[in-house]
């Protein structure tokens, strides 16, 4: 029986392969790039969440205490002012104009509106219950969009509405931002999202996430 020798088998230490090293380096670089991109996205969403939360919280504080921005000093909610009377009472276009007029200044409307501002603002700032905040915020923004009614070119008195776009306005942008923050779990970075998600009640009811 003839034996065939295989000189390459077990002939000492293998030499490093340049191709193998290039492949490993490329994989490491790709992994580092992916990690860096993911981190940048996480911080970008966290920044958007905090800024949006401040918008809602500031609106609540200004309307409550009359800080002199949108709400004049002495006209705050604690001074007997109504957070909804001015806005809803001035609605001058759209299919719900008369309905909004009937809601303007109603105690239940004031409480519900202020509770929404505070709840959404706190949820966004803390980074928890973002799905609930997204649903509540989208509903609020939808009502405010209808109240301003961008499609109208003229108001009920015939004057120009000054609308600059028949559909897209900042209310829709806020609504989409809220949905995006909830979908991206933006509370996990610079927020209490991971802690919130780990609570037994939240684990059992994912809609609370």
């Amino acid at each position: 029986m003839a034996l065939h020798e295989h000189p390459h088998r077990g002939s000492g230490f293998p030499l490093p392969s340049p191709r193998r090293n290039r492949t490993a380096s490329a994989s490491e670089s790709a992994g580092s790039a992916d990690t860096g991109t993911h981190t940048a996205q996480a911080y970008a969403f966290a920044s958007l969440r905090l800024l949006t939360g401040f918008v809602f919280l500031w609106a609540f504080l200004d309307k409550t205490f009359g800080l002199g921005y949108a709400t004049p000093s002495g006209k705050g909610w604690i001074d007997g002012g109504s957070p909804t009377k001015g806005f809803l009472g001035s609605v001058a276009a759209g299919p719900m104009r008369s309905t909004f007029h009937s809601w303007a200044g109603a105690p239940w409307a004031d409480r519900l509106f202020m509770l929404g501002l505070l709840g959404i603002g706190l949820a966004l700032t803390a980074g928890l219950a973002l799905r609930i905040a997204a649903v509540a915020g989208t509903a609020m923004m939808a009502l405010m969009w209808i109240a301003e009614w961008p499609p109208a070119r003229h108001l009920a008195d015939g004057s120009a509405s000054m609308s600059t776009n028949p559909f897209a306005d900042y209310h829709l942008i806020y609504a989409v931002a809220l949905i995006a923050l909830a979908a991206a779990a933006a509370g996990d970075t610079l927020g209490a999202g991971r802690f919130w998600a780990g609570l037994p009640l939240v684990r059992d009811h994912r809609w609370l996430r």
Side-chain angles (χ1 to χ4, degrees):
M1 181 182 294
L3 297 177
H4 300 280
E5 295 183 359
H6 300 278
H8 298 292
R9 192 175 294 172
S11 59
F13 297 102
L15 296 176
S17 169
R19 182 178 179 183
R20 187 183 309 150
N21 290 344
R22 285 197 299 268
T23 303
S25 298
S27 299
E28 291 175 359
S29 298
S32 299
D34 289 342
T35 301
T37 300
H38 178 74
T39 302
Q41 290 176 346
Y43 278 100
F45 274 114
S47 299
L48 177 62
R49 172 179 58 80
L50 291 171
L51 288 172
T52 307
F54 182 71
V55 169
F56 282 88
L57 276 182
W58 179 259
F60 171 81
L61 295 172
D62 184 57
K63 293 179 184 300
T64 299
F65 301 105
L67 300 179
Y69 285 82
T71 306
S73 179
K75 300 292 185 179
W77 197 22
I78 62 171
D79 300 311
S82 170
T84 64
K85 187 175 182 179
F87 177 68
L88 295 181
S90 63
V91 172
M96 293 183 63
R97 183 166 62 96
S98 59
T99 301
F100 286 134
H101 287 175
S102 67
W103 291 355
W108 66 267
D110 289 342
R111 295 192 191 99
L112 194 60
F113 178 60
M114 296 299 281
L115 179 62
L117 290 178
L118 178 61
I120 296 168
L122 289 176
L124 291 174
T125 304
L128 47 82
L130 295 186
R131 294 182 181 180
I132 299 175
V135 172
T138 298
M140 179 184 291
M141 292 299 105
L143 287 172
M144 295 180 75
W145 185 90
I146 296 172
E148 293 201 358
W149 200 244
R153 295 184 179 181
H154 298 89
L155 303 179
D157 61 1
S159 62
S161 67
M162 305 303 291
S163 176
T164 59
N165 190 293
F167 177 71
D169 75 342
Y170 65 97
H171 296 109
L172 294 186
I173 294 174
Y174 277 130
V176 173
L178 290 170
I179 295 171
L181 291 172
D188 292 356
T189 302
L190 301 179
R194 295 185 187 278
F195 168 77
W196 177 258
L199 296 177
L201 179 64
V202 180
R203 287 202 306 266
D204 295 338
H205 302 86
R206 300 304 297 172
W207 60 272
L208 294 172
R209 180 70 169 85

